[in-house]
């Protein structure tokens, strides 16, 4: 008995608690994966960025710098204790991300319109000109606006020109009459915030032109530094080339194929018809229209292998010179030109950084594609533009590439054995199986982000990608490169014609798959907590190597379970009171109008999980008798609550006595509606933005756009004048 006790004591020392054993085991696992620690740098940096943007109030300007200095001091003091030192370094990375986001917000600060303005005369220089289905969308800088002082004038505005803009080019100075308004905020609490995106583009107003814009002579020289003038001229030149090439492509290849070709070669997507975009979304092929790693990788790869093959035809060069490195340098230059030509979006930046590092590895005779490469690319993008963390393009792009590199890292040796000494037929079958596996991995990695941002799941994306991706890789993009090469000679039409055949095949596949029954599902809005859990769980699964990586599946599962558990609001009201929306207990989405606030209406439908939205009758009943309307307003009964949606103040006397919730598009006097527990009038909607209400037997829960956005530089603060 005593020997058993002694052996037990040796196996489990009584002096060590269970928490100590767990801590030692965790430290041992971390030590075993020391070479993977660097992969977590962009994760910690991104958490700091996310912490900044998650604040409800703008922090003091000194907070980011003070936090970083404090973290660095702690790291210096803890340098002799490895565990504390690693924790302090993590805090340094976290505070660096917070500080970078705060600094970026300060650097891009520019005036934003606070209210609707116009019709007003506007003067400025066009820096971006994008063809639309009808007319043009023009972004202008060096703005001069009537009725506004220079310190209140936005740095940039964007206007839509319906006619008369055919001859406008980037760099032209224009004078036009327009109606402008502040960049719109979210259509509902938690929805996409265009105003925040516009703030970081220094876009202070949007609107539309009245009549034709007039081209005018440039004003006198600007008060700018030499570097600023050079950088501005350089960007303007690339914008002009982008527009010119897009026009030439659509002239040589008219119709839908030409619009898609222009999008693939220049990133200009405004001319693609909406029905084509819808089919691409519903079939899971929308990623083919966004310039990303696929396109940049194909351009660089085709240039690299093509040029290397041509140089190999010259024996003296092949035998005595490093033609592989020459081809890598040329491919990097081509990828850089493609990046600048397509507008340098976040996915394109990420793709170029990765491709550039791969080609640099070729030049230096080093290993190429690794997760470390992905991590440095993510850190570089976040350091330059921290706000990109919140964009769907950044999230989906890095989720897909991280999952793909991690997945193929596991399968690398097995794939090498499969491809070794195989015949052509076997290699082709392995290629198509690789396309399928890539689509599955990328689809699973990006699905949570597609649900969060777009409220949709394309169930047959694998089938569509199996049909479209080989055509894109083996036919469309090679002809695109040939078209670029022929363009200086005016012969791009020779390559655009066969390129159009491939595009027609892809569009046919998209329309065919999108028409399958149940091709797409619309799901209610996903809570941000669920997205964070899925993202962290997926990161944990991909970045570690040991068996403990599987713990990430628990976080992914937990985040996914929040989707069905999330309850969409029962009632929605727009910020101006012109649109109301209901989600009945049966899941039906009903709107007050199909003609006003169409963008908000479409956003509501998706976030409420409705495949379509009905319009309630002007008079009569609907929704199984729960909704009854007359010309003055409607009464809605659900979950023990009675909601009055008031269109005309003459209905207030009766509605205030009957309803527990009153939402009025008309302003109310203090104490005018005493009978109701919850009263929301025109002033509340104007001050706090759109409202969302959850009804229950116990009461009513309310969220507003204003409360979710907080007091931030990109949020206009409504005050009484």
């Amino acid at each position: 008995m005593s020997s058993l006790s002694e052996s037990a004591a040796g196996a489990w020392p009584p002096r060590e608690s269970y928490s100590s054993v767990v801590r030692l085991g965790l430290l041992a696992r971390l030590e075993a994966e020391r070479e993977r620690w660097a992969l977590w740098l962009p994760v910690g940096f991104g958490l700091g960025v996310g912490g900044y943007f998650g604040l409800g109030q703008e922090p003091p300007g000194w907070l980011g710098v003070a936090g970083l200095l404090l973290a660095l001091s702690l790291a210096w003091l803890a340098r002799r204790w490895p565990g504390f030192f690693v924790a302090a370094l993590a805090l340094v990375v976290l505070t660096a991300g917070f500080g970078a986001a705060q600094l970026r917000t300060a650097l891009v600060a520019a005036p934003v319109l606070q209210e609707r303005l116009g019709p007003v005369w506007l003067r400025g220089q066009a820096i971006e000109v994008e063809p639309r289905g009808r007319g043009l969308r023009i972004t202008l800088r060096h703005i001069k606006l009537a009725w506004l002082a220079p310190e209140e004038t936005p740095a940039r505005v964007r206007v839509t020109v319906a006619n008369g803009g055919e001859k406008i080019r980037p760099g032209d100075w224009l004078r036009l009459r327009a109606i402008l308004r502040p960049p719109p905020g979210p259509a509902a609490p938690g929805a996409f915030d265009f105003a925040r995106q516009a703030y970081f583009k220094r876009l202070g107003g949007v609107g539309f032109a009245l009549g034709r814009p007039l081209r005018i002579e440039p004003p006198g020289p600007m008060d700018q530094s030499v570097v600023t003038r050079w950088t501005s001229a350089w960007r303007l030149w690339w914008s002009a080339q982008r527009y010119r090439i897009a026009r030439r492509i659509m002239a040589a290849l008219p119709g839908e194929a030409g619009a898609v070709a222009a999008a693939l070669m220049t990133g200009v997507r405004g001319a693609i018809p909406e029905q084509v975009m819808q089919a691409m979304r519903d079939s899971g092929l929308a990623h083919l229209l966004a310039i990303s790693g696929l396109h940049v990788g194909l351009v660089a790869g085709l240039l690299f292998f093509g040029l290397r093959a041509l140089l190999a035809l010259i024996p003296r060069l092949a035998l005595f010179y490093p033609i592989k490195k020459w081809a890598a340098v040329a491919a990097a230059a081509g990828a850089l030109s493609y990046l600048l030509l397509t507008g340098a979006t976040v996915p394109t930046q990420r793709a170029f950084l990765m491709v550039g590092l791969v080609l640099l590895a070729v030049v230096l005779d080093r290993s190429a594609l690794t997760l470390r490469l992905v991590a440095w690319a993510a850190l570089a993008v976040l350091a330059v533009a921290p706000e990109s963390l919140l964009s769907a393009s950044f999230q989906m792009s890095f989720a897909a590439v991280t999952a793909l590199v991690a997945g193929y890292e596991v399968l690398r040796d097995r794939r090498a054995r499969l491809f070794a000494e195989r015949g052509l037929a076997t290699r082709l079958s392995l290629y198509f199986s690789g396309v399928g596996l890539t689509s599955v991995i990328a689809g699973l990695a990006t699905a949570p982000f597609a649900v969060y941002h777009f409220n949709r799941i394309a169930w047959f994306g694998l089938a569509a990608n199996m049909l479209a991706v080989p055509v894109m890789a083996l036919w469309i993009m090679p002809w695109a490169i040939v078209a670029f090469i022929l363009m200086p000679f005016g012969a791009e039409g020779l390559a655009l014609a066969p390129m159009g055949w491939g595009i027609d095949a892809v569009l046919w596949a998209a329309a065919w798959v999108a028409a399958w029954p149940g091709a797409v599902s619309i799901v209610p809005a996903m809570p941000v907590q669920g997205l964070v859990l899925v993202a962290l769980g997926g990161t944990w699964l991909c970045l570690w190597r040991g068996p403990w990586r599987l713990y990430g599946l628990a976080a992914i599962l937990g985040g996914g379970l929040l989707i069905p558990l999330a309850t969409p609001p029962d009632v929605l009201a727009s910020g101006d009171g012109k649109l109301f929306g209901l989600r009945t207990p049966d899941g039906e989405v009903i709107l007050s109008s199909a003609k006003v606030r169409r963008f908000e209406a479409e956003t509501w439908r998706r976030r409420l999980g409705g495949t379509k939205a009905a319009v309630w009758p002007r008079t009569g009943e609907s929704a199984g008798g729960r909704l009854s309307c007359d010309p003055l307003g409607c009464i809605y009964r659900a979950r023990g609550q009675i909601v009055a949606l008031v269109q005309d103040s003459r209905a207030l006397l009766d509605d205030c006595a009957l309803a527990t919730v009153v939402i009025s598009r008309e302003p109310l006097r203090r104490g005018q509606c005493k009978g109701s527990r919850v009263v929301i009038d025109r002033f509340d909607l104007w001050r706090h933005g759109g409202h969302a209400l959850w009804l229950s037997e116990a009461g009513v829960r309310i969220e507003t756009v204003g409360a979710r956005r907080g007091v931030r530089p990109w949020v206009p603060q409504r005050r009484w004048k």
Side-chain angles (χ1 to χ4, degrees):
M1 186 70 178
S2 60
S3 62
L4 181 62
S5 300
E6 290 173 2
S7 64
W12 190 267
R15 293 182 180 178
E16 291 192 19
S17 65
Y18 177 76
S19 61
S20 298
V21 173
V22 171
R23 178 174 58 83
L24 291 173
L26 179 61
L27 290 176
R29 288 180 176 179
L30 285 172
E31 181 64 27
E33 301 209 42
R34 177 188 288 267
E35 76 280 1
R36 313 286 280 191
W37 290 1
L39 303 181
W40 288 89
L41 286 175
V43 179
F45 195 90
L47 288 174
V49 172
Y52 168 78
F53 284 108
L55 295 176
Q57 297 276 341
E58 187 65 19
W62 50 263
L63 186 60
V65 175
L68 181 58
L69 292 176
L70 177 61
L72 288 170
S73 301
L74 291 175
W76 172 258
L77 294 174
R79 67 189 184 280
R80 299 180 183 273
W81 296 276
F84 291 107
F85 181 66
V86 171
L89 285 181
L91 185 61
V92 169
V93 176
L94 195 74
T95 54
F98 186 97
Q102 192 174 20
L103 177 63
R104 171 72 172 167
T105 301
L107 290 176
V108 300
V112 177
L113 292 179
Q114 297 297 306
E115 59 185 11
R116 185 181 183 274
L117 186 65
V120 62
W121 282 105
L122 161 69
R123 189 197 73 183
Q125 184 185 30
I127 56 173
E128 290 183 10
V129 181
E130 184 178 4
R132 310 291 290 175
R134 294 180 58 187
L136 300 172
R137 191 168 68 181
I138 305 174
T139 302
L140 301 110
R141 67 176 179 182
H142 302 317
I143 305 300
K144 185 174 182 181
L145 273 168
W147 311 338
L148 278 186
E151 62 273 13
E152 298 177 344
T153 302
R156 296 178 180 179
V157 298
R158 192 171 72 190
V159 295
T160 300
V161 177
N163 53 65
E166 296 81 5
K167 297 183 179 180
I168 294 175
R169 299 291 183 269
D172 289 347
W173 283 84
L174 305 175
R175 183 172 181 267
L176 52 90
R177 193 167 174 81
I179 293 178
L180 301 174
R181 57 189 175 90
F192 171 68
D193 192 347
F194 175 77
R196 182 179 59 205
Q197 183 188 70
Y199 176 87
F200 287 96
K201 294 181 177 180
R202 310 194 80 216
L203 188 65
V206 296
F208 57 91
L210 302 175
R212 296 172 176 267
L214 305 174
R215 298 167 73 178
I216 60 175
E217 292 296 322
M222 300 289 174
D223 185 15
Q224 297 175 324
S225 66
V226 175
V227 175
T228 301
R229 285 200 302 270
W230 184 88
T231 304
S232 177
W234 176 74
R235 291 177 177 175
L236 194 59
W237 185 85
W238 275 106
S239 179
Q241 299 309 307
R242 183 186 185 197
Y243 175 77
R244 182 180 63 83
I245 292 174
R247 281 289 193 187
R248 288 182 61 173
I249 292 169
M250 288 186 285
L253 187 64
E256 297 175 352
V260 172
L264 296 176
M265 296 175 68
T266 67
V268 176
R269 297 193 294 170
I272 300 177
E274 178 56 33
Q275 67 271 17
V276 172
M277 292 295 299
Q278 191 64 42
M280 297 293 282
R281 295 188 199 105
D282 292 347
S283 61
L285 295 179
H287 67 96
L288 296 182
L289 299 179
I291 307 300
S292 61
L294 173 66
H295 308 80
V296 178
L298 286 172
V299 168
L302 291 168
L303 287 173
F304 175 75
F305 290 109
L307 183 58
R308 188 181 179 189
L310 288 175
L311 293 175
L313 295 176
I314 306 174
R316 183 173 181 82
L317 290 179
L319 292 173
F320 298 104
Y321 294 93
I323 61 172
K324 181 180 178 180
K325 297 181 180 182
W326 290 0
V329 173
L336 177 60
S337 299
Y338 189 55
L339 166 77
L340 298 173
L341 187 62
T342 53
T345 60
V346 169
T348 319
Q349 294 173 25
R350 186 269 307 163
F352 172 74
L353 285 171
M354 294 191 62
V355 167
L357 290 174
V358 168
L359 295 172
L360 179 62
V362 172
V363 173
L364 300 177
D365 298 318
R366 298 293 183 90
S367 178
L369 193 59
T370 63
L371 278 174
R372 192 178 295 266
L373 182 61
V374 180
W376 287 118
L379 190 60
V381 172
L382 288 176
V384 173
E387 72 277 5
S388 62
L389 177 74
L390 307 178
S391 67
S393 59
F394 177 92
Q395 294 169 11
M396 298 180 74
S397 176
F398 277 98
V401 74
T402 302
L404 286 170
V405 174
Y408 281 103
E409 186 181 70
V410 175
L411 300 173
R412 182 184 301 144
D413 294 337
R414 183 173 299 177
R415 283 181 56 83
R417 289 195 301 270
L418 287 174
F419 273 94
E421 299 180 2
R422 300 286 181 173
L424 179 60
T426 305
R427 285 177 174 268
L428 284 175
S429 65
L430 288 173
Y431 168 76
F432 283 101
S433 66
V435 171
L437 180 61
T438 298
S439 299
V440 170
I441 294 175
L444 291 175
T446 58
F449 302 97
V451 169
Y452 179 81
H453 291 283
F454 310 116
N455 308 104
R456 64 176 58 241
I457 301 175
W459 293 107
F460 304 123
L462 174 60
N465 279 277
M466 290 289 289
L467 293 171
V469 170
V471 178
M472 179 69 68
L474 302 176
W475 186 266
I476 294 176
M477 291 308 294
W479 283 114
I481 293 177
V482 175
F484 277 129
I485 295 172
L486 295 177
M487 202 163 284
F489 309 101
E492 64 273 11
L494 298 176
L496 289 174
M499 182 183 177
W501 305 337
I503 292 174
D504 289 337
V506 169
L507 297 184
W508 173 85
W512 182 51
V513 173
W516 292 0
V520 64
S521 294
I522 304 298
V523 296
M526 180 181 183
V528 67
Q529 297 89 340
L531 185 71
V532 172
L533 272 176
V534 171
L536 291 178
T539 304
W540 186 276
L541 179 66
C542 291
L543 297 192
W544 295 127
R545 276 181 175 165
W548 69 330
R549 71 192 304 175
L550 298 178
Y551 295 156
L553 294 174
I556 295 173
L557 180 62
L561 288 176
L562 290 180
I563 300 176
L565 294 178
T567 304
D570 300 292
V571 182
L572 286 165
S574 66
D576 57 4
K578 294 182 179 180
L579 183 67
F580 296 126
L582 303 173
R583 187 179 189 272
T584 70
D586 301 329
E588 184 182 4
V589 178
I590 311 174
L591 301 175
S592 60
S593 174
K595 297 180 179 179
V596 300
R597 301 298 181 216
R598 294 183 180 179
F599 176 79
E600 285 89 339
E602 175 61 19
T603 302
W604 290 3
R605 179 189 65 79
R606 289 190 291 101
R607 292 182 62 82
L608 294 176
T611 55
K612 61 181 181 179
V615 178
W616 68 50
R618 183 171 176 80
T619 58
E621 295 185 350
S622 63
R626 298 187 186 93
L627 180 68
S628 57
C629 297
D630 60 35
L632 303 182
C634 296
I635 296 293
Y636 177 62
R637 295 173 172 85
R639 297 185 175 90
Q641 304 293 337
I642 301 176
V643 181
L645 304 167
V646 181
Q647 303 277 3
D648 192 301
S649 58
R650 290 175 293 175
L652 286 171
L653 182 62
D654 294 333
D655 290 345
C656 289
L658 172 67
T660 55
V661 179
V662 173
I663 307 176
S664 172
R665 64 179 298 179
E666 300 289 338
L668 303 180
R669 296 188 300 275
R670 186 185 299 270
Q672 185 176 354
C673 205
K674 296 181 179 180
S676 302
R677 292 200 300 265
V678 176
V679 179
I680 301 169
D681 74 342
R682 179 69 186 90
F683 293 138
D684 295 315
L685 296 173
W686 174 81
R687 188 180 301 111
H688 302 296
H691 281 53
L693 289 79
W694 284 260
L695 309 178
S696 68
E697 299 285 347
V700 180
R701 179 167 68 90
I702 303 174
E703 285 190 10
T704 68
V705 167
R708 288 289 292 268
R709 299 176 80 194
V711 183
R712 308 306 299 271
W714 50 86
V715 180
Q717 301 304 309
R718 301 288 178 86
R719 296 182 178 88
W720 299 110
K721 294 184 177 180

